[in-house]
mmCIF file of all heavy atoms in Angstrom:
data_model
loop_
_atom_site.group_PDB
_atom_site.id
_atom_site.type_symbol
_atom_site.label_atom_id
_atom_site.label_comp_id
_atom_site.label_asym_id
_atom_site.label_seq_id
_atom_site.Cartn_x
_atom_site.Cartn_y
_atom_site.Cartn_z
ATOM 1 N N SER A 222 84.162 134.924 125.460
ATOM 2 C CA SER A 222 82.894 134.340 125.156
ATOM 3 C C SER A 222 81.840 134.771 126.277
ATOM 4 O O SER A 222 82.149 134.785 127.452
ATOM 5 C CB SER A 222 82.900 132.823 125.156
ATOM 6 O OG SER A 222 81.612 132.301 124.965
ATOM 7 N N GLY A 223 80.666 135.207 125.752
ATOM 8 C CA GLY A 223 79.541 135.546 126.705
ATOM 9 C C GLY A 223 79.018 134.377 127.369
ATOM 10 O O GLY A 223 78.193 134.414 128.267
ATOM 11 N N LEU A 224 79.441 133.129 126.856
ATOM 12 C CA LEU A 224 78.892 131.878 127.458
ATOM 13 C C LEU A 224 79.798 131.372 128.498
ATOM 14 O O LEU A 224 79.511 130.273 129.134
ATOM 15 C CB LEU A 224 78.833 130.860 126.320
ATOM 16 C CG LEU A 224 77.868 131.182 125.182
ATOM 17 C CD1 LEU A 224 77.993 130.245 124.078
ATOM 18 C CD2 LEU A 224 76.451 131.363 125.663
ATOM 19 N N ARG A 225 80.876 132.075 128.913
ATOM 20 C CA ARG A 225 81.786 131.594 129.996
ATOM 21 C C ARG A 225 81.030 131.475 131.317
ATOM 22 O O ARG A 225 80.293 132.366 131.765
ATOM 23 C CB ARG A 225 82.979 132.553 130.075
ATOM 24 C CG ARG A 225 83.998 132.085 131.123
ATOM 25 C CD ARG A 225 85.159 133.019 131.105
ATOM 26 N NE ARG A 225 85.799 132.984 129.851
ATOM 27 C CZ ARG A 225 86.714 132.075 129.487
ATOM 28 N NH1 ARG A 225 87.046 131.074 130.310
ATOM 29 N NH2 ARG A 225 87.344 132.068 128.340
ATOM 30 N N GLY A 226 81.221 130.281 131.961
ATOM 31 C CA GLY A 226 80.543 130.054 133.267
ATOM 32 C C GLY A 226 81.561 129.954 134.350
ATOM 33 O O GLY A 226 82.673 130.540 134.278
ATOM 34 N N ALA A 227 81.235 129.230 135.412
ATOM 35 C CA ALA A 227 82.142 129.031 136.540
ATOM 36 C C ALA A 227 83.379 128.387 136.071
ATOM 37 O O ALA A 227 83.357 127.472 135.196
ATOM 38 C CB ALA A 227 81.474 128.193 137.574
ATOM 39 N N SER A 228 84.531 128.783 136.655
ATOM 40 C CA SER A 228 85.842 128.245 136.209
ATOM 41 C C SER A 228 85.930 126.737 136.657
ATOM 42 O O SER A 228 85.264 126.403 137.685
ATOM 43 C CB SER A 228 87.002 129.026 136.726
ATOM 44 O OG SER A 228 87.126 128.846 138.096
ATOM 45 N N LEU A 229 86.801 125.981 136.027
ATOM 46 C CA LEU A 229 86.974 124.678 136.486
ATOM 47 C C LEU A 229 87.593 124.613 137.875
ATOM 48 O O LEU A 229 87.162 123.752 138.683
ATOM 49 C CB LEU A 229 88.004 124.005 135.470
ATOM 50 C CG LEU A 229 87.603 124.010 133.954
ATOM 51 C CD1 LEU A 229 88.801 123.356 133.168
ATOM 52 C CD2 LEU A 229 86.356 123.235 133.734
ATOM 53 N N GLU A 230 88.529 125.459 138.178
ATOM 54 C CA GLU A 230 89.141 125.526 139.456
ATOM 55 C C GLU A 230 88.112 125.822 140.612
ATOM 56 O O GLU A 230 88.111 125.189 141.619
ATOM 57 C CB GLU A 230 90.248 126.544 139.500
ATOM 58 C CG GLU A 230 91.441 126.212 138.634
ATOM 59 C CD GLU A 230 91.294 126.560 137.221
ATOM 60 O OE1 GLU A 230 90.203 127.076 136.816
ATOM 61 O OE2 GLU A 230 92.194 126.219 136.367
ATOM 62 N N GLU A 231 87.272 126.768 140.348
ATOM 63 C CA GLU A 231 86.252 127.175 141.412
ATOM 64 C C GLU A 231 85.307 125.955 141.551
ATOM 65 O O GLU A 231 84.842 125.697 142.736
ATOM 66 C CB GLU A 231 85.469 128.362 140.906
ATOM 67 C CG GLU A 231 86.343 129.651 140.943
ATOM 68 C CD GLU A 231 85.571 130.884 140.279
ATOM 69 O OE1 GLU A 231 84.571 130.627 139.637
ATOM 70 O OE2 GLU A 231 86.064 131.973 140.488
ATOM 71 N N LYS A 232 84.916 125.317 140.529
ATOM 72 C CA LYS A 232 84.025 124.167 140.628
ATOM 73 C C LYS A 232 84.639 123.009 141.408
ATOM 74 O O LYS A 232 84.020 122.407 142.299
ATOM 75 C CB LYS A 232 83.574 123.691 139.224
ATOM 76 C CG LYS A 232 82.317 122.772 139.264
ATOM 77 C CD LYS A 232 81.146 123.504 139.660
ATOM 78 C CE LYS A 232 79.923 122.541 139.574
ATOM 79 N NZ LYS A 232 78.706 123.255 139.929
ATOM 80 N N LEU A 233 85.967 122.751 141.149
ATOM 81 C CA LEU A 233 86.619 121.708 141.888
ATOM 82 C C LEU A 233 86.675 122.012 143.393
ATOM 83 O O LEU A 233 86.447 121.174 144.205
ATOM 84 C CB LEU A 233 88.008 121.496 141.280
ATOM 85 C CG LEU A 233 88.850 120.470 141.959
ATOM 86 C CD1 LEU A 233 88.137 119.057 141.862
ATOM 87 C CD2 LEU A 233 90.305 120.329 141.298
ATOM 88 N N GLN A 234 86.951 123.208 143.683
ATOM 89 C CA GLN A 234 87.082 123.629 145.079
ATOM 90 C C GLN A 234 85.684 123.548 145.764
ATOM 91 O O GLN A 234 85.581 123.073 146.952
ATOM 92 C CB GLN A 234 87.593 125.102 145.206
ATOM 93 C CG GLN A 234 89.094 125.147 144.834
ATOM 94 C CD GLN A 234 89.567 126.586 144.808
ATOM 95 O OE1 GLN A 234 88.755 127.550 144.803
ATOM 96 N NE2 GLN A 234 90.854 126.799 144.802
ATOM 97 N N ALA A 235 84.640 123.863 144.975
ATOM 98 C CA ALA A 235 83.293 123.813 145.529
ATOM 99 C C ALA A 235 82.919 122.279 145.900
ATOM 100 O O ALA A 235 82.093 122.011 146.778
ATOM 101 C CB ALA A 235 82.254 124.396 144.602
#
Side-chain angles (χ1 to χ4, degrees):
S222 174
L224 300 173
R225 183 176 296 278
S228 73
L229 304 177
E230 291 80 2
E231 291 172 346
K232 193 67 176 183
L233 179 59
Q234 291 174 346

